Amino acid sequence: MSNIAIALVTTGLLGLISALSPTRQICNIPDHQHNGWVLLLTMIFMFIIGYLGYIWMLIDRDIGSLELIVATIFCGGGAFVFVISRMSKETIFKLQQTVHEKHYQAHHDPLTNLANRHQFYDELDKLIDDEHHIFSCLMMDLNDFKMVNDTLGHAEGDHVLQVVAERIRRSLPKGGIAARLGGDEFTVVLPDTKIAEAVEVAKIIQQALSEDIQCENHALVVGISVGIAEYPKHGPDKKSIMKHADVAMYKAKATDRGYRVYSRDID
């Protein structure tokens, strides 16, 4: 009887010890009922001490039905805490992953995985909220992209957009943020970057897009027109900066110059 009781309590003790790891992982999740889970972790440590004390009490002692019943309860309690802690950890982590995926989907373009329009606006707002911040905004539009869709189909057009997005992403300096606003329109924001540096980035992007893109049995070269505006030099807010970069882009497209910096005389 004594060995059976000790085995039951030991099983429960192992359950408590196994519950420590998942409970500690939950405690490390920021802002997730932190105090409650820390309290539970503390209680598990206290239970472990109690279980050890009960095992010590059972050694070299005549065991009756009452001690055996208590040992069974201890076994079930330890197993219960283990199961609850494991299930809670799995549920919480899955919920966090779902929330992260939903957040990512809400802020990124599903085709290119670049930031979407809403995320780009948020990034501009953050930069503008910093009164001492300067940045450059590049508005970009592919040249004759409609011809790609009409000739090769939308599936190949999507492939071209994905390749273009990846080349733009690779061309950016550290801290640069690329976004797809829709269709074949892309934009880039370059924090702490003035016009001269932004022009160099525009040239790098155009050089990257001068390489062939393989579509079906064709090798395409997709041109891009870039308009550049600097904050706060070319506008005091998000709307004016994007508008002026857009004006410069259309001027670059109309003159086949590849890129154009905004100035009052082209507006």
Side-chain angles (χ1 to χ4, degrees):
M1 292 283 284
S2 176
N3 290 336
I4 295 174
I6 291 174
L8 287 170
V9 180
T10 302
T11 301
L13 177 62
L14 292 175
L16 289 174
I17 294 173
S18 299
L20 289 174
S21 178
T23 306
R24 190 182 299 112
Q25 290 176 14
I26 296 173
C27 288
N28 291 332
I29 300 175
D31 303 324
H32 190 83
Q33 304 292 328
H34 183 73
N35 292 336
W37 285 102
V38 170
L39 177 60
L40 177 60
L41 185 62
T42 303
M43 292 175 66
I44 292 175
F45 278 112
M46 295 173 64
F47 287 151
I48 289 174
I49 295 173
Y51 275 52
L52 290 171
Y54 193 67
I55 291 174
W56 179 79
M57 188 184 72
L58 291 175
I59 296 174
D60 297 329
R61 178 189 176 104
D62 292 333
I63 302 299
S65 299
L66 179 60
E67 288 82 4
L68 193 59
I69 291 172
V70 173
T72 304
I73 294 172
F74 274 37
C75 178
F80 175 78
V81 172
F82 169 70
V83 171
I84 291 299
S85 62
R86 286 295 299 271
M87 290 179 63
S88 297
K89 188 195 94 169
E90 291 176 4
T91 300
I92 292 169
F93 277 51
K94 284 181 180 178
L95 286 173
Q96 279 203 316
Q97 183 179 1
T98 300
V99 170
H100 177 75
E101 290 173 354
K102 293 294 184 183
H103 181 273
Y104 185 88
Q105 292 169 3
H107 292 81
H108 290 80
D109 174 58
L111 178 64
T112 63
N113 287 324
L114 295 181
N116 62 14
R117 182 185 298 269
H118 300 296
Q119 177 68 12
F120 185 73
Y121 289 167
D122 288 344
E123 295 295 338
L124 286 184
D125 288 335
K126 290 176 185 177
L127 292 173
I128 291 173
D129 286 342
D130 185 347
E131 295 180 359
H132 304 291
H133 219 116
I134 64 168
F135 63 86
S136 290
C137 178
L138 281 61
M139 298 292 287
M140 299 176 286
D141 192 76
L142 299 184
N143 300 332
D144 301 319
F145 179 70
K146 185 176 182 300
M147 186 181 300
V148 176
N149 276 335
D150 292 345
T151 305
L152 301 179
H154 290 280
E156 291 300 326
D158 288 347
H159 171 68
V160 170
L161 291 175
Q162 290 171 332
V163 173
V164 168
E166 181 57 29
R167 291 184 183 179
I168 291 174
R169 194 200 324 265
R170 292 202 311 261
S171 301
L172 298 186
K174 184 177 180 181
I177 302 164
R180 180 189 177 208
L181 300 184
D184 61 333
E185 188 176 10
F186 296 86
T187 184
V188 164
V189 63
L190 301 170
D192 301 314
T193 303
K194 293 188 176 182
I195 288 297
E197 299 167 273
V199 167
E200 293 305 312
V201 173
K203 291 179 180 178
I204 293 172
I205 291 173
Q206 290 178 323
Q207 179 62 35
L209 293 180
S210 67
E211 300 175 11
D212 290 350
I213 299 176
Q214 297 297 324
C215 287
E216 291 184 343
N217 298 321
H218 304 278
L220 302 179
V221 175
V222 179
I224 192 168
S225 299
V226 185
I228 307 170
E230 179 188 316
Y231 173 87
K233 180 179 180 180
H234 294 140
D237 52 40
K238 172 178 65 181
K239 182 178 179 180
S240 60
I241 287 296
M242 292 187 68
K243 175 186 174 183
H244 292 159
D246 210 42
V247 168
M249 180 194 72
Y250 280 106
K251 189 67 174 179
K253 187 181 286 286
T255 57
D256 291 326
R257 289 184 54 178
Y259 70 88
R260 190 72 183 261
V261 176
Y262 174 79
S263 61
R264 291 181 179 275
D265 62 295
I266 66 171
D267 194 344

